[in-house]
Amino acid sequence: MSGNVTRSSPFGLVSGIPQSGSDLTLIAAPSNPFAPEARKGCLHIVVEADRDVSRGRDACLLVMRTIRRVFYEDPSFSVTSSLRKAILAANRVLYQQNFNAPPQKRAVVGLTCAVIKDRDLFIAQVAPAQAYVMAEGRLRALPMNVAWGGTATLFRSRALGASLTVEPDLYRAVLRPGDGVIICTSNLSDLFSREEVTRLLRSPEPDDAVAAITALCRHHQVADAHGIVAMTFARLSPAAQASPFSAAGVNERTKLALSGIAARLARASADLVWLVRGPAEREARKRREVARARLAEEEARLERPYEEPPYSPDPPPVPRPLNLDEPLRPDTNHRSAPAIGRPSPQAPMTPSALLGEVSFRDEPAPERVLDLGDAPIEITFAQRRRMGKATGRPSPSSGAFERLANPFTRISDAIVRRVRPRPSAPPRALPRQYRPAGLSYRRQSPPFPWVLLLLLVSLISLLILYGMTLSRENALREADNALTEAEQSVAAIRDAPDEATAQERLIAAEEALAALRTSEVITATTANRQRYDELMREYVRALAAVQKQTYFEDLTEVTRHPLPGGLFDTVVVPPPPRTVTDTESFGAIYLLDANAGVLYRAPRTGGVARPFLRPEDTIGPLSVGRVRAAAWRIDNIVAVAQSGESGPFTFYFRSGNEWRYSILAGSEEWGRVGARFRAVNYEGNLYVLGASRNNVLRYLSGEYGAFPLPWIQNDGGREVESAIDLAVDGKINLLLPDGRVLIFATNSAGERAFEREIPAPQIRPPLVTATRFFVTGPPESGSIFLVDSFNGRIIQIDKQTGEFIQQISAPPDGPLALDQLLSIFVDESGSRPVIYMVNGGQILRGSLPDRPRPFREPAAPTPTIEP
């Protein structure tokens, strides 16, 4: 049972605003002593995504869920092994998701995992990641960043989801009371010096360290940061340690004993589970325990220092080499006689002697004759004569007659050798091979069959070429068939008898095009590419006719949030100036970041967005609070800001090149407002939604210091409290979450009451939730534009009849995607309306597409130019 207790606190900073919890952090604490978290230890995870944090948030959540599930489901008793398996599984899942997603929706993730089990700390990292560990009397940064003398790490080089293979960096340490660890995103590594980290980890509680980190981020203007602070404390408080028999000492020791009993019961239950699983599982467990014991023994052996032998200045004696020339017989005369035909050790040896030949200066040594007999053999006269001929001397055992006849015998033998025919050479099984000039001691081999090898390589090349040609012809044939089937599916849409059948055929054509888009047949030839482009144009026309689906043709980016990960909430575009001479403010667009409470201004033609009104700016004696809403009033921009979390609201307006202000009367009673707070200006009057329950407040122009009056007098039984957006065009338009629009107006009796309701359009895919809307034109004409953030589209309906006109999206194969569509602004000052869209941290602009033709109206022929 561990004598330590660990307390952890997460922190998050989004657009400069501290969060009580963060989506990019996870602390898996055990819920009971029998939970898997109690057996494996408490898991802490901090993840970060590439570039756009909002786009990679889903990838980060997927990685954290996978790591937690695999880590605690793995049956291994090793924390390091389970942690590595979990990270590899998360990498495979994220890589598969990136492989199937379009390039603009792919994301890679870096992470730091810390597991605290009793007194042991296990850390696994995949760059980019950052951790600071104070343990065993030392402070370490993992990895060593630039501020601590290390090197920078590229984000995409080793992050999860970048490739199919990844290898995490693993660390281990032992925690004692007073030690701690900070795991955070890599953008905080430049802020944390050694002194700063030491001060943070010496805080009394993790919450104090989190507060200090938040203050440090605000000081350095860091917009987004996430992390976890964990500290280790003794299980017994100082009072319990000082007085063992006091009430605190007895209570704490009793709880400590009960927790130890619960831990032992948990381990016993785990052993019981292994016992129930059967002999095969028990044998596997025993093998794993033996393997772990061997590994521990090997690690202990490697940790023992190597014992070197004592040093001696005298080298060890060299053994006497064997003399292979000594005979086997113990004869002293033979041992001392030099070998015939071999050079002496003192004489220089010839090069040929090293190759096995005798010296050219020595006589060839005669073959040694071994005497294998036991008794002496009598030598005959013929044998003695042959011995004499071989030596040129008479045999010592020959008689006097033989010595006298020896010259005549030699002469007769010479005559016989001259007359006798020489025997011919024996027949050879192989032809004689003649060596070239010079000495050669290598065995001659038959020549290499280069011609045969060349023919074989040529034959294989021809077969490969034929196979490639045949495969290409089959691919082209399959491509032609697939294109033909897709063309038939798209052409069948126009021949449908009714719209229901057309919807079914449109789904079939969409599936055929999706299968065609995933294959490589569309780029096989230029003709295939042209056919595919024409097919897509026809499909878009059919889609616009059946589902009234259109696409932006000139979608461009106007500006982007200056802070990484920042999000805009609304955009305001000034109308064309009419009676105003100072038109400087008309050449810009105004952007509101509701999370940070900052109002930005950017050039209308495109450029950098710069802060225009932000918290803590000083206007006269007043300090600006958090900007909640922005609108256009006659000739300039106005804003509504709140002081503190539940303070009064202030109305800010421009006078020349300076800001002026007026405190809204009665706003002290509003308190904390929610995300549905809206402030709209119409003909100088200010309308406020979300400040009063079940009503809309109105401030008359120039009378912002007077108390407002509720505008709605008779709601007609409608639930105004659930409205999420407000628009004023002479009438009050309220948007409900399901897409319905409530219209309130002044009736003939002079009462401001409910007039009518515009239902949500019935379209495919169906509208589930509407986030914002925009109303154009006077009350008698114009359109209503609904924002569907989930499907990334804008739905246009007629204001009078509620008729569905069209649904507008970004081109599916275009470089820009409406994946974070939040709100819109429709500018009707030109010949063709222009829609400004808030897409997360960027502002996009596109012309309103033409109204789709009816389903039965044939497509107009493409005009041709006469030569």
Side-chain angles (χ1 to χ4, degrees):
M1 180 181 61
S2 174
N4 302 338
V5 62
T6 302
R7 291 195 284 270
S8 305
S9 294
F11 64 89
L13 204 66
V14 180
S15 298
I17 302 174
Q19 304 291 333
S20 57
S22 174
D23 294 340
L24 304 183
T25 60
L26 172 66
I27 300 177
S31 57
N32 56 74
F34 303 97
E37 290 82 358
R39 180 175 64 90
K40 283 289 186 70
C42 183
L43 175 63
H44 305 72
I45 305 177
V46 175
V47 294
E48 58 178 304
D50 184 9
R51 295 192 299 272
D52 194 351
V53 177
S54 58
R55 186 180 72 179
R57 190 175 300 275
D58 294 338
C60 294
L61 296 178
L62 176 63
V63 168
M64 287 194 298
R65 288 195 298 267
T66 304
I67 290 178
R68 177 173 183 172
R69 176 178 56 81
V70 176
F71 177 75
Y72 288 113
E73 290 180 358
D74 184 44
S76 175
F77 289 91
S78 173
V79 175
T80 304
S81 176
S82 302
L83 199 58
R84 184 176 179 272
K85 291 179 183 178
I87 294 176
L88 296 181
N91 179 66
R92 286 194 299 269
V93 173
L94 181 58
Y95 181 82
Q96 184 67 25
Q97 175 176 302
N98 288 341
F99 185 80
N100 296 325
Q104 64 271 15
K105 291 189 177 182
R106 297 174 182 173
V108 294
V109 177
L111 62 87
T112 300
C113 298
V115 178
I116 301 178
K117 182 181 180 182
D118 297 335
R119 296 185 176 132
D120 294 328
L121 170 65
F122 304 88
I123 293 181
Q125 289 181 324
V126 176
Q130 191 61 53
Y132 299 93
V133 179
M134 178 177 287
E136 301 174 358
R138 295 179 58 189
L139 179 62
R140 303 178 181 90
L142 306 175
M144 290 288 289
N145 49 51
V146 179
W148 290 43
T151 57
T153 304
L154 296 178
F155 194 99
R156 302 181 66 90
S157 60
R158 298 178 52 196
L160 296 180
S163 64
L164 196 55
T165 59
V166 69
E167 191 62 34
D169 297 328
L170 302 174
Y171 308 94
R172 183 176 180 180
V174 178
L175 297 179
R176 296 175 297 183
D179 294 344
V181 58
I182 300 176
I183 57 176
C184 58
T185 51
S186 59
N187 61 335
L188 296 181
S189 60
D190 297 335
L191 308 182
F192 289 170
S193 61
R194 294 182 182 271
E195 296 77 11
E196 191 68 32
V197 175
T198 304
R199 182 180 64 84
L200 293 174
L201 292 178
R202 294 304 185 192
S203 301
E205 291 291 335
D207 294 338
D208 300 333
V210 168
I213 292 174
T214 304
L216 183 64
C217 294
R218 285 182 174 178
H219 177 71
H220 291 277
Q221 297 181 354
V222 176
D224 291 273
H226 308 272
I228 300 174
V229 179
M231 295 183 180
T232 304
F233 303 90
R235 285 187 178 270
L236 296 178
S237 62
Q241 294 178 2
S243 302
F245 298 101
S246 62
V250 173
N251 291 336
E252 292 184 11
R253 284 176 170 82
T254 302
K255 292 180 181 179
L256 191 61
L258 292 178
S259 63
I261 294 173
R264 290 188 177 90
L265 289 177
R267 287 195 295 270
S269 62
D271 295 337
L272 182 60
V273 169
W274 282 106
L275 184 63
V276 173
R277 287 187 177 182
E281 293 291 343
R282 290 197 297 272
E283 290 296 330
R285 182 183 180 186
K286 289 181 180 179
R287 289 195 295 270
R288 285 193 292 269
E289 291 178 353
V290 170
R292 285 195 296 270
R294 291 178 180 175
L295 182 60
E297 182 180 356
E298 182 66 17
E299 291 179 354
R301 186 185 65 82
L302 294 177
E303 290 178 357
R304 291 196 298 268
Y306 174 72
E307 297 181 359
E308 297 183 355
Y311 174 74
S312 175
D314 299 329
V318 179
R320 177 177 176 271
L322 297 176
N323 187 2
L324 300 180
D325 291 338
E326 296 179 357
L328 298 178
R329 298 173 57 187
D331 190 355
T332 56
N333 296 331
H334 258 68
R335 188 186 301 263
S336 60
I340 301 175
R342 298 187 181 182
S344 61
Q346 291 79 9
M349 299 180 66
T350 58
S352 60
L354 299 176
L355 300 177
E357 295 183 354
V358 297
S359 175
F360 62 91
R361 295 178 296 183
D362 298 329
E363 296 180 358
E367 297 183 359
R368 180 176 298 177
V369 180
L370 298 179
D371 185 7
L372 300 179
D374 296 334
I377 301 175
E378 183 180 356
I379 300 177
T380 61
F381 171 76
Q383 291 176 349
R384 285 196 299 269
R385 190 180 67 175
R386 284 195 297 270
M387 293 174 59
K389 287 193 299 181
T391 57
R393 300 187 297 270
S395 176
S397 59
S398 60
F401 176 76
E402 292 177 2
R403 286 195 297 270
L404 292 176
N406 187 36
F408 300 99
T409 303
R410 295 171 62 184
I411 294 172
S412 62
D413 290 340
I415 295 173
V416 171
R417 284 197 304 269
R418 290 288 182 179
V419 176
R420 184 191 308 167
R422 296 184 179 181
S424 60
R428 292 179 175 269
L430 297 176
R432 183 184 297 274
Q433 297 180 0
Y434 296 94
R435 297 183 179 180
L439 294 176
S440 175
Y441 298 98
R442 294 182 179 178
R443 178 177 297 178
Q444 297 294 325
S445 59
F448 190 80
W450 292 105
V451 177
L452 182 60
L453 179 62
L454 182 60
L455 292 176
L456 183 61
V457 171
S458 302
L459 179 60
I460 294 176
S461 301
L462 290 175
L463 292 176
I464 293 175
L465 182 61
Y466 174 74
M468 294 175 60
T469 305
L470 186 61
S471 176
R472 180 176 177 82
E473 291 178 356
N474 293 335
L476 292 176
R477 191 179 302 107
E478 293 176 359
D480 185 72
N481 295 337
L483 284 171
T484 303
E485 292 178 1
E487 289 171 349
Q488 293 174 356
S489 300
V490 174
I493 300 175
R494 290 288 181 185
D495 300 335
D498 50 19
E499 291 194 6
T501 307
Q503 288 282 358
E504 296 177 358
R505 296 183 180 181
L506 187 64
I507 295 175
E510 182 179 355
E511 293 176 355
L513 287 175
L516 187 65
R517 197 178 297 114
T518 55
S519 63
E520 299 179 356
V521 299
I522 59 176
T523 58
T525 60
T526 305
N528 286 354
R529 186 66 189 184
Q530 294 176 354
R531 289 178 62 186
Y532 175 75
D533 293 341
E534 180 61 29
L535 181 62
M536 286 301 300
R537 285 191 290 268
E538 182 62 26
Y539 172 73
V540 170
R541 287 193 290 266
L543 192 65
V546 178
Q547 295 186 356
K548 298 181 181 180
Q549 172 72 60
T550 57
Y551 299 99
F552 289 105
E553 298 179 356
D554 56 347
L555 191 62
T556 56
E557 180 179 318
V558 180
T559 186
R560 185 178 288 270
H561 202 291
L563 298 178
L567 301 176
F568 291 123
D569 184 71
T570 56
V571 55
V572 178
V573 180
R578 291 187 176 90
T579 60
V580 180
T581 58
D582 186 9
T583 61
E584 180 182 357
S585 59
F586 289 82
I589 60 175
Y590 301 88
L591 320 165
L592 175 62
D593 183 352
N595 293 329
V598 180
L599 179 65
Y600 292 89
R601 180 173 66 176
R604 193 165 187 166
T605 57
V608 180
R610 304 185 184 279
F612 195 51
L613 182 65
R614 54 188 172 184
E616 300 181 1
D617 286 351
T618 302
I619 299 177
L622 189 65
S623 177
V624 179
R626 181 179 176 184
V627 181
R628 293 287 188 176
W632 185 263
R633 181 182 180 273
I634 303 175
D635 62 346
N636 220 317
I637 191 73
V638 296
V640 177
Q642 184 182 16
S643 300
E645 292 293 333
S646 59
F649 287 74
T650 307
F651 180 75
Y652 293 94
F653 58 94
R654 300 282 292 178
S655 176
N657 293 328
E658 296 181 355
W659 284 101
R660 304 286 183 177
Y661 70 93
S662 176
I663 298 178
L664 296 179
S667 62
E668 299 87 353
E669 306 294 332
W670 296 353
R672 179 178 297 180
V673 297
R676 64 185 188 90
F677 178 82
R678 301 287 184 269
V680 178
N681 194 284
Y682 180 75
E683 294 184 353
N685 300 327
L686 183 66
Y687 296 84
V688 179
L689 173 67
S692 176
R693 183 178 180 84
N694 272 340
N695 216 317
V696 177
L697 301 180
R698 180 182 67 176
Y699 288 91
L700 296 179
S701 178
E703 299 180 7
Y704 305 111
F707 285 93
L709 295 177
W711 194 91
I712 300 176
Q713 297 174 339
N714 182 7
D715 57 8
R718 300 302 191 273
E719 186 66 27
V720 181
E721 180 67 20
S722 60
I724 61 174
D725 204 359
L726 168 68
V728 182
D729 59 351
K731 299 180 180 181
I732 299 297
N733 300 270
L734 298 178
L735 175 65
L736 300 183
D738 57 0
R740 294 178 295 153
V741 178
L742 305 180
I743 299 179
F744 298 84
T746 304
N747 55 24
S748 59
E751 183 183 23
R752 298 186 296 271
F754 173 75
E755 181 181 84
R756 60 194 177 94
E757 175 183 322
I758 300 178
Q762 302 298 322
I763 59 176
R764 181 184 177 275
L767 175 62
V768 179
T769 303
T771 54
R772 294 288 183 88
F773 78 140
F774 193 88
V775 180
T776 62
E780 295 77 14
S781 62
S783 302
I784 297 177
F785 295 86
L786 303 177
V787 177
D788 185 2
S789 300
F790 182 77
N791 294 302
R793 59 179 174 174
I794 301 171
I795 303 171
Q796 182 184 5
I797 60 177
D798 187 83
K799 187 194 302 184
Q800 296 299 320
T801 62
E803 176 190 0
F804 169 57
I805 298 177
Q806 62 180 340
Q807 49 180 332
I808 316 165
S809 303
D813 54 352
L816 299 175
L818 300 179
D819 52 355
Q820 289 183 281
L821 184 62
L822 299 178
S823 63
I824 62 172
F825 191 98
V826 182
D827 182 14
E828 295 184 308
S829 60
S831 58
R832 188 174 185 180
V834 177
I835 302 179
Y836 288 81
M837 291 152 279
V838 177
N839 188 43
Q842 58 181 178
I843 303 298
L844 305 179
R845 177 175 57 198
S847 300
L848 179 66
D850 296 333
R851 185 168 184 167
R853 295 185 300 274
F855 170 67
R856 282 303 177 186
E857 181 179 345
T862 304
T864 58
I865 301 176
E866 296 294 336

